[in-house]
Amino acid sequence: MDKNIEIIETINKISEEAKKSLDSAKESSELDGIFKAFMGKKGRLTEILHNIGSYSIEEKKIIGKKSNEVKNEIEAVYNAKKTELSAGENKKFSAEYKIDLTIPGKHIERFHKHPITAVLEEAADFFTSMGFTIVEGPEIETAYYNFDALNIPADHPARDVWDTFYLLNGLVPRTHTSSVQARILEKKELPLRIIAPGRCYRYEAVDATHLFMFNQMEGLFVDKNVKLSDLKGILEETVKHLLGARKTRFRPAFYPFVEPGLDLDIECVFCGGRGCGVCKNTGWIEVIPCGMVHPNVFKYAGIDTEEYKGFAFGMGFDRIVMLKYNINDLRLLYQGSLDILNQF
Ligand code: DAH
């Protein structure tokens, strides 16, 4: 018997053995183990075929053809047995765990982000594309960062505007995200461009446009040569990006931490500027209070006011969402009603 026939014999023998063992398997896991022992990377058949280097090309062709046939046969036995065993195993599993595998699965509804989160992320993406980084500050703040460091001293009437709840330990649920400005300036890592989104709390009677808890997004841009025109350009682009092209205007306003202070208004989305109940017949809605950082705020942080200038803004974020989606009652956003939230 020449070498050639010898190896074919061996392949045949292994094949018979493999098929017999596979057929006698009692469980899927055993079946898989047997299959691997013959056909795996280090399986018996695979090993044999690795050692055919000494045969001639003609002989290799014959061996190759034979081994393919055998592999197909073994696979067919494996597949048939697998189907048979799995069916039995599933039945046993269902009986044991009282599960009917034929019942269709539960339909799981696809959900989406809350409109406030979605718009916050959209705004954050927009600002990061302009080189801003996102920072966070604590929601429970010291009076120093919430007021004093923002040029709102304890005895100043401006403090009344943000009069609020205090905790027994003297800390305050922050009334605005402006406190993050004071914290970040203190680090003096200049120049800087940051936004600080987050929740704020106020002593407020709840109605369609006021809540005791709401979202703001603070912004701060400090560099050696920042001008009011930078503020105007960036905020006008922001409004355009978030709310679409709308008419805007800047109005003087007072905030202790900026000088000059401004309010950016947009044309009323509800009446198109003609005047209605929402815009109190002015045709305009205030969207972004802002201004040039007050020198005292820099002084509190120990920053040279000759060297650095900056602008700041603090948008009421819930308000932006209301305007974007024409929602006329802020409370709707916080009720957790899917009927409402699914509309966005
Ligand atoms: N912190 C102010 C508020 O909650 C809003 C504000 C006004 C923030 C002007 C600013 C700003 O950064 O420059 O009423």
Side-chain angles (χ1 to χ4, degrees):
M1 197 187 282
D2 63 23
K3 261 198 320 185
N4 184 357
I5 300 299
E6 217 173 90
I7 193 169
I8 297 277
E9 281 285 289
T10 316
I11 292 173
N12 274 335
K13 252 197 223 146
I14 293 180
S15 158
E16 286 315 310
E17 214 182 303
K19 288 187 278 189
K20 223 164 112 194
S21 318
L22 286 170
D23 207 40
S24 67
K26 301 266 173 313
E27 284 175 20
S28 300
S29 55
E30 186 192 347
L31 183 77
D32 291 339
I34 297 170
F35 186 75
K36 204 170 153 205
F38 285 94
M39 303 274 279
K41 254 194 199 153
K42 293 215 167 111
R44 283 173 59 194
L45 189 61
T46 323
E47 298 255 278
I48 292 265
L49 296 172
H50 273 159
N51 299 324
I52 55 169
S54 58
Y55 291 96
S56 70
I57 294 186
E58 277 310 308
E59 288 167 337
K60 277 184 188 159
K61 267 191 194 160
I62 300 172
I63 300 168
K65 191 167 167 251
K66 180 70 192 169
S67 62
N68 275 341
E69 280 168 23
V70 164
K71 277 184 188 164
N72 287 342
E73 282 170 28
I74 296 177
E75 260 166 26
V77 173
Y78 168 79
N79 287 335
K81 195 70 187 175
K82 183 86 179 175
T83 314
E84 179 193 321
L85 291 176
S86 306
E89 281 161 12
N90 282 346
K91 234 188 229 163
K92 205 169 134 219
F93 180 83
S94 319
E96 204 168 309
Y97 293 97
K98 307 262 177 302
I99 294 172
D100 181 351
L101 293 178
T102 63
I103 292 178
K106 257 194 200 156
H107 175 68
I108 297 176
E109 255 188 87
R110 287 172 70 91
F111 292 102
H112 57 80
K113 288 181 180 155
H114 189 285
I116 294 177
T117 310
V119 182
L120 258 171
E121 288 180 357
E122 193 184 340
D125 279 351
F126 184 65
F127 280 110
T128 47
S129 77
M130 293 188 290
F132 284 72
T133 49
I134 303 169
V135 298
E136 283 182 314
E139 285 180 28
I140 302 299
E141 220 4 315
T142 61
Y144 177 77
Y145 289 116
N146 198 80
F147 297 118
D148 303 80
L150 292 168
N151 198 29
I152 315 171
D155 52 0
H156 197 281
R159 193 117 156 189
D160 296 348
V161 178
W162 290 273
D163 197 14
T164 190
F165 328 97
Y166 285 81
L167 305 185
L168 290 176
N169 60 9
L171 294 176
V172 56
R174 67 177 173 197
T175 61
H176 47 192
T177 43
S178 302
S179 53
V180 186
Q181 278 190 45
R183 285 181 172 272
I184 203 88
L185 282 175
E186 214 176 52
K187 295 191 179 155
K188 297 200 199 66
E189 288 161 7
L190 303 174
L192 63 80
R193 281 177 228 189
I194 57 110
I195 51 165
R199 290 197 188 94
C200 305
Y201 304 85
R202 284 198 197 161
Y203 177 60
E204 196 84 70
V206 171
D207 64 23
T209 52
H210 297 89
L211 289 180
F212 55 83
M213 191 281 292
F214 55 97
N215 285 280
Q216 267 191 349
M217 184 184 277
E218 195 76 12
L220 180 65
F221 189 130
V222 180
D223 208 332
K224 293 200 167 150
N225 200 18
V226 179
K227 296 192 256 352
L228 190 63
S229 51
D230 298 316
L231 172 157
K232 288 177 107 173
I234 286 188
L235 294 188
E236 274 171 353
E237 281 308 308
T238 303
V239 168
K240 215 186 279 171
H241 180 80
L242 292 178
L243 300 173
R246 291 188 193 283
K247 256 204 223 160
T248 53
R249 72 172 184 189
F250 285 90
R251 227 170 1 101
F254 172 72
Y255 301 99
F257 26 90
V258 280
E259 177 59 36
L262 305 164
D263 278 330
L264 168 56
D265 293 345
I266 61 166
E267 194 176 62
C268 179
V269 293
F270 297 97
C271 64
R274 281 187 302 278
C276 66
V278 180
C279 62
K280 300 196 182 79
N281 281 320
T282 62
W284 297 95
I285 296 184
E286 179 211 311
V287 284
I288 312 185
C290 52
M292 300 304 288
V293 177
H294 195 291
N296 284 354
V297 174
F298 279 142
K299 278 183 201 149
Y300 266 101
I303 292 171
D304 181 354
T305 53
E306 290 301 316
E307 197 180 357
Y308 283 100
K309 301 276 175 259
F311 72 79
F313 58 91
M315 9 180 175
F317 220 80
D318 305 326
R319 159 96 52 116
I320 301 275
V321 175
M322 286 172 80
L323 293 172
K324 190 174 173 82
Y325 295 119
N326 282 348
I327 299 169
N328 60 6
D329 192 327
L330 192 49
R331 291 166 290 195
L332 295 172
L333 285 173
Y334 287 97
Q335 277 168 355
S337 152
L338 291 181
D339 283 346
I340 292 176
L341 296 177
N342 279 339
Q343 296 175 36
F344 307 108

